[in-house]
Every structure is written in structure tokens, then in C-alpha cells.
Amino acid sequence: MKIDLLTTLREKNPIAFNISNFVTVQDVANGINALGASPIMSEEKNEAEAMVQMADSVTINLGAFTEQQLTQIETVMTFANQYHKPIVVDPVAVGAVHYRLERCNELLDQKKVAVIRGNAGEIAALAGVDWQSKGIDAGEGTGDLVETAKKLANQYHCTVVESGKTDIITNGDAVIRVFNESDLFKLHVGSGDMLSSTIGCFVGVEDDYFEAAQTAVVVFDVAGEVVAKSMSQPLAGSFGPRLIDELHLIDPKTVEKYANFE
Ligand SMILES: Nc1ncnc2c1ncn2[C@@H]1O[C@H](COP(=O)(O)OP(=O)(O)O)[C@@H](O)[C@H]1O
Ligand SMILES: Cc1ncsc1CCOP(=O)(O)O
Ligand SMILES: [Mg+2]
């Protein structure tokens, strides 16, 4: 666990190119900016090469893609592979919508990605493991969460972050479990999108994507935990802005103090 990557990130201010969704794009942009990276979003295929050339990483969120945006996504991922820029994929609701699963499988079969970050339902769907997803949420299942994440990581030779009460991070062999968590994450639509984009920020400054993902998850989860502990009641509308506040304020010593992982 390289917690000092947070200092490196704030020194380098990496450009994090995000193809986002209209639901959470502002939270994602503000979370990246607060953390210390530099967000840029685009929906225009014709500027894909320029965007990828200047970016340190690319995060692809499949939350609300259209047929036209899928063409932009394919173009961006092609340039990201060509220019050796790490790609993070957030496969929103692929466990609930077969069309999305098919498109995401095609992208993963054709392009090289650094990290896939999803909830248990999304990771299980991509790994071909039986699970009952529920819309954008994890849903229910009996599959082994660790084996499912490892299977997908080995399927695409990448790092997988399977988020949940315990976040599971694996490169297909080693496994890190992060126990920091807060129920308030579930109250805030966009928590997963923000986690994926946070991972995008860290893979932009660290070539060991397994390490980068670990630090991103711990920083993000500890930030959420610190905010939740400061709130006397679960205020759904306040958690998001306070999480962005904490992503700006949190320092490596606080992360070190509260980090709970194995
Ligand atoms: N049941 C839970 N209890 C506490 N924290 C959770 C729970 N599920 C997810 N989280 C946290 O919420 C954040 C977003 O993860 P998740 O909700 O799984 O993604 P998504 O929003 O894409 O479904 C992660 O930091 C994760 O640790
Ligand atoms: C509600 C919704 N619909 C399409 S994308 C989206 C946001 C999903 O955000 P998260 O997966 O972080 O909860
Ligand atoms: Mg999600």
C-alpha cells in the first residue's frame, strides 16, 4: 500500500480524462479536482486523440452511454491503447441490462484496460458468475466475491476493484480487502462513479495499477468514513458535498491512521 501516492498525485496534478454520465458528472469532476488532479470531460469523438494525448489516464463510465457515445468510447480507448494511457472502466448496471453487458464485453475483448471497478453485481456479470443485480446496485448473490473478482482480473489481465461493504482489490493473484466503509456511500448516487474516477487519478501517477487502485480505494473510503463520523445523522443530501470537501482536506497521515485493510 503506497499511501504516499496521495502526495505524489497532488504534486503532479495529473489530467484525468473522463467519459462520464449526465447523472453524476459534476460530482465526479469536483471529486477529482478536490483530490488534487485535473478533470476533463468530453463527448466529442473528433477531439478524442487530443484529449488522450494530453491526459495521464482515461476513465470510461458506462452509466448512460448512447450509440453515438459508444463510438466515441471505442475511439478514445483505441487512442488510449495507442498512446499507452491507462484506462479505468466503470461498467454501470451491466448486470441488469444485457445490452450494456454485450457492449462492455466487446470493449473489454478489444481494448486493453488497467482497472475494472464495479459493484458485486457488475463484476459477477462480466465474470459470467450467477448473481441477481438490481439496476445500478449490487443486488444479491451467493457467489464467492473474491473468486469472482480474481476470475475477471485473470480474464482481462487487469486489476479489478469489486466494491461493497468490504472493497476487494485483486490483480488476479494477490488480494487486498479494504474494510473502511460507510452506509452513507449507499445514500449518495455517484459514490461508485467517484471511486472509479479516483482510481483513474491514481493510475495516472503510478504504473503499478494494482498499487494505484489500493491507494485510491483506501483514500476514498477513509474520506467517506471521516465525513460519516462527523455527521450526527445520515444526511443523504449533505454527504456528497462533504465527501468532496474531505477529498481536498484529507492528508496521508489521516489516511494512515484510519486505513483498515489486509
Ligand atoms: N454496503 C455498504 N456499506 C458500506 N459502504 C459501502 C457498501 N457498499 C458500497 N460501499 C462503498 O461505497 C462506495 C461505492 O461502492 P458501490 O456502492 O459498490 O459502487 P456503485 O455505486 O457503483 O454500486 C465504495 O467506496 C464502497 O466501499
Ligand atoms: C443513477 C444512474 N443511472 C445511470 S448512471 C447513474 C449513476 C450511478 O452512480 P453510482 O454507480 O456511482 O451509484
Ligand atoms: Mg456504479
Side-chain angles (χ1 to χ4, degrees), residues 18-204:
N18 275 247
I19 295 183
S20 309
N21 64 67
F22 60 82
V23 179
T24 64
V25 57
Q26 195 158 34
D27 268 358
V28 166
N30 281 315
I32 291 167
N33 199 54
L35 183 69
S38 176
I40 187 162
M41 278 65 171
S42 165
E43 293 182 341
E44 176 50 58
K45 181 184 72 157
N46 293 317
E47 61 184 11
E49 185 169 17
M51 286 285 171
V52 170
Q53 281 179 308
M54 73 173 168
D56 295 287
S57 65
V58 177
T59 297
I60 306 285
N61 184 290
L62 298 178
F65 69 92
T66 60
E67 194 171 358
Q68 184 181 357
Q69 193 176 33
L70 189 57
T71 306
Q72 179 212 11
I73 288 169
E74 289 163 346
T75 305
V76 164
M77 293 178 81
T78 299
F79 282 123
N81 284 174
Q82 180 181 326
Y83 289 105
H84 308 294
K85 304 296 176 75
I87 299 171
V88 176
V89 173
D90 185 328
V92 181
V94 295
V97 181
H98 192 67
Y99 172 78
R100 290 186 178 205
L101 180 60
E102 286 179 325
R103 299 295 76 74
C104 191
N105 281 332
E106 286 164 2
L107 290 171
L108 294 173
D109 287 341
Q110 294 161 16
K111 313 296 179 195
K112 177 76 186 127
V113 301
V115 184
I116 301 169
R117 196 296 310 174
N119 60 45
E122 293 155 347
I123 300 302
L126 291 173
V129 170
D130 188 32
W131 196 272
Q132 294 308 312
S133 282
K134 188 171 190 285
I136 64 167
D137 294 322
E140 302 291 333
T142 55
D144 180 309
L145 291 174
V146 171
E147 289 312 311
T148 299
K150 287 174 79 171
K151 182 177 180 212
L152 186 62
N154 286 310
Q155 208 167 304
Y156 291 112
H157 308 292
C158 68
T159 290
V160 167
V161 176
E162 184 182 65
S163 52
K165 189 172 183 60
T166 297
D167 291 322
I168 294 163
I169 309 161
T170 182
N171 59 7
D173 178 30
V175 178
I176 298 288
R177 293 171 182 79
V178 178
F179 302 107
N180 298 101
E181 49 91 4
S182 163
D183 278 342
L184 289 180
F185 277 126
K186 295 188 294 181
L187 272 179
H188 175 250
V189 171
S191 295
D193 291 357
M194 291 176 73
L195 174 56
S196 295
S197 60
T198 299
I199 294 168
C201 295
F202 280 94
V203 299

